[in-house]
Amino acid sequence: MVTDIRNTTHAVEATAVMKLLPARPRLLALGEPTHGEDALLDLRNELFRQLVEQEGYRTIAIESDCVRGLVVDDYVTSGTGTLDDVMERGISHGWGASAANRELVRWMRAHNVRADAEGRPASERLRFAGFDGPLEITHAESPRRALTGLHTYLASRVDADLLPCTADTLDRLLGDDDRWTGPAAMTDPARSAGRSPEAVRLRLLADDLAALLDQQTPHLLATAPREDWHRAHLCGRAAVGLLRYHHSMADTSPARMTRLVSVRDQMMAQNLLALAERGPALVHAQNAHLQRPKSSMRMGGEPLEWWSAGALVSARLGAGYAFLATALGTLRHRGVDTPAPDTVEGLLYALTDADRRLVDAPRLATALADARPAPRRSPWFGYAPLDPDHLADCDGLVFVRDVPESR
């Protein structure tokens, strides 16, 4: 069996990844089992560079606010703003402070500067996208930015009589942003504004605005850049999704948290499907957001199950979606020590002393079928070990032996 497992491993390189797949996927998803570790993000950056240079990939999408991500994309494509500013404003969850994320954005901008100097077409430029909703662990954003972005785009391009409302009406219904963003609403439905009369009205208006955007597509594409139309659609998805999320925050039923995590991943999936229409992209997020089997977790002592963004996208794209999970050996600065030998991580840890390896996950699952590896248990809540039952549903597995503390 050891020989069979050894034959499933390769260097973590773009060419090796593509050999695991039947064809180049439109979306290549790379998961991670924990957030905020620069070693894992450095691996992502290196793989993206290889995909750009060898496989024609031009976009990277990360688990960050989709609307704020436009700030980073503007910098990457046209140099708008400064690197310090876009890292602070354009990447959510506090991850703009990551040295690896900063290096990614810096490299992408430098690549595009070289491409422009060489006279390459705009289609050769690298693009950055966030694909998460405008959400944080502690709260959800106000729908103001997304709704007003969509309304402003339409108001400047279509007959005013077609608009379902004025900008002043939106502003009045939105009210103070603090009524939407208060952290107390995450745990107390009574503190949420998501089912107020104003929120109900805003959901209808968001739907009408999104419908108008679709109805006017021929005119809009003929009179303004296609990129503006794509961004308006992103704002529409974010507005509709955010208002649905706020509506679920006000839910008092036992299904409240399941609805919230499901709405979030649905927003992610819609953003990824939109990106898939524009060309191949590398997607990076937590494994649970990208896997094909149902995702699960415990929150507030209650078990939750939902279909992840990856499961939703895979169901739509088939072979156009590929998923590489990441597993790790040690994360000692978080109290995660050498894995038990009867786990998948433990078997791989004992097999190789290489810092990182790419594993043919379906072949490994077949080789381990009789061994039935045990699930690993983590002493730290921020690290989610690989579920051995999910191994066969991965197209590949990236194994990082030892994760050093981030710089």
Side-chain angles (χ1 to χ4, degrees):
M1 186 182 73
V2 172
T3 301
D4 291 341
I5 296 174
R6 193 181 303 277
N7 290 339
T8 70
T9 68
H10 316 272
V12 183
E13 297 173 346
T15 53
V17 170
M18 291 302 158
K19 288 179 180 178
L20 296 180
L21 308 174
R24 185 184 73 170
R26 284 188 272 171
L27 296 177
L28 174 59
L30 174 65
E32 62 177 1
T34 185
H35 288 314
E37 299 297 334
D38 277 349
L40 302 183
L41 301 182
D42 288 339
L43 184 155
R44 173 206 65 188
N45 293 354
E46 182 178 336
L47 181 60
F48 181 56
R49 284 193 289 268
Q50 293 178 12
L51 290 168
V52 168
E53 294 165 359
Q54 301 169 22
E55 302 294 337
Y57 280 68
R58 291 292 176 264
T59 299
I60 188 167
I62 73 169
E63 187 183 335
S64 182
D65 182 333
C66 58
V67 180
R68 289 177 63 174
L70 297 175
V71 173
V72 183
D73 191 53
D74 283 339
Y75 174 78
V76 165
T77 55
S78 61
T80 303
T82 65
L83 182 57
D84 287 342
D85 180 57
V86 301
M87 295 308 296
E88 180 179 352
R89 295 193 300 115
I91 297 180
S92 60
H93 309 332
W95 297 333
S98 160
N101 281 335
R102 184 183 181 90
E103 174 57 22
L104 170 69
V105 175
R106 186 209 64 77
W107 177 80
M108 292 176 70
R109 177 59 192 151
H111 182 282
N112 284 344
V113 169
R114 289 194 301 273
D116 290 344
E118 294 168 3
R120 297 186 205 169
S123 61
E124 291 289 304
R125 290 179 187 157
L126 303 186
R127 305 296 301 266
F128 177 94
F131 73 96
D132 201 353
L135 310 168
E136 295 286 353
I137 297 299
T138 56
H139 67 279
E141 293 292 337
S142 163
R144 178 182 302 280
R145 182 170 46 180
L147 261 180
T148 55
L150 175 58
H151 187 277
T152 299
Y153 171 81
L154 289 168
S156 65
R157 292 168 174 83
V158 304
D159 191 316
D161 291 339
L162 295 176
L163 293 169
C165 66
T166 65
D168 287 343
T169 298
L170 280 184
D171 186 62
R172 176 176 57 79
L173 292 171
L174 286 162
D176 192 331
D177 285 346
D178 288 346
R179 69 194 290 260
W180 299 96
T181 60
M186 284 301 295
T187 54
D188 183 0
R191 303 293 294 273
S192 170
R195 298 193 180 187
S196 65
E198 295 84 359
V200 172
R201 176 68 176 147
L202 285 168
R203 288 189 76 185
L204 292 172
L205 292 174
D207 183 71
D208 286 343
L209 287 167
L212 181 59
L213 179 64
D214 282 338
Q215 293 158 8
Q216 294 293 311
T217 291
H219 166 69
L220 295 169
L221 291 180
T223 56
R226 181 175 290 267
E227 179 59 31
D228 293 350
W229 180 81
H230 281 299
R231 290 186 170 213
H233 266 283
L234 185 151
C235 287
R237 292 191 301 273
V240 171
L242 258 181
L243 286 163
R244 184 180 294 124
Y245 192 88
H246 280 288
H247 182 83
S248 296
M249 287 178 74
D251 185 10
T252 58
S253 80
R256 177 179 186 263
M257 290 309 302
T258 298
R259 288 198 174 99
L260 287 174
V261 294
S262 297
V263 169
R264 181 187 179 192
D265 271 78
Q266 181 187 26
M267 293 173 70
M268 288 181 168
Q270 291 172 340
N271 285 328
L272 291 178
L273 288 169
L275 285 172
E277 294 178 358
R278 307 183 67 181
L282 177 67
V283 179
H284 188 253
Q286 218 276 350
N287 285 329
H289 289 305
L290 301 176
Q291 67 189 36
R292 291 186 177 94
K294 253 189 173 181
S295 297
S296 62
M297 66 181 295
R298 297 189 71 86
M299 184 171 287
E302 296 295 324
L304 303 178
E305 285 192 343
W306 73 101
W307 291 109
S308 74
L312 297 172
V313 171
S314 181
R316 295 277 294 273
L317 297 185
Y321 178 80
F323 171 50
L324 308 176
T326 295
L328 56 86
T330 70
L331 192 67
R332 298 190 195 282
H333 56 283
R334 299 293 190 183
V336 180
D337 292 320
T338 305
D342 60 344
T343 63
V344 172
E345 293 93 337
L347 288 166
L348 293 172
Y349 194 86
L351 183 68
T352 176
D353 58 2
D355 289 340
R356 54 201 195 188
R357 298 294 287 174
L358 174 67
V359 182
D360 185 331
R363 284 187 63 195
L364 178 60
T366 299
L368 296 177
D370 295 333
R372 295 190 61 81
R376 188 182 189 185
R377 305 299 179 190
S378 172
W380 179 53
F381 74 94
Y383 160 59
L386 179 74
D387 185 335
D389 291 337
H390 293 176
L391 191 59
D393 293 299
C394 302
D395 297 290
L397 175 66
V398 174
F399 181 69
V400 180
R401 196 169 192 276
D402 299 290
V403 180
E405 189 166 0
S406 293
R407 55 193 179 277

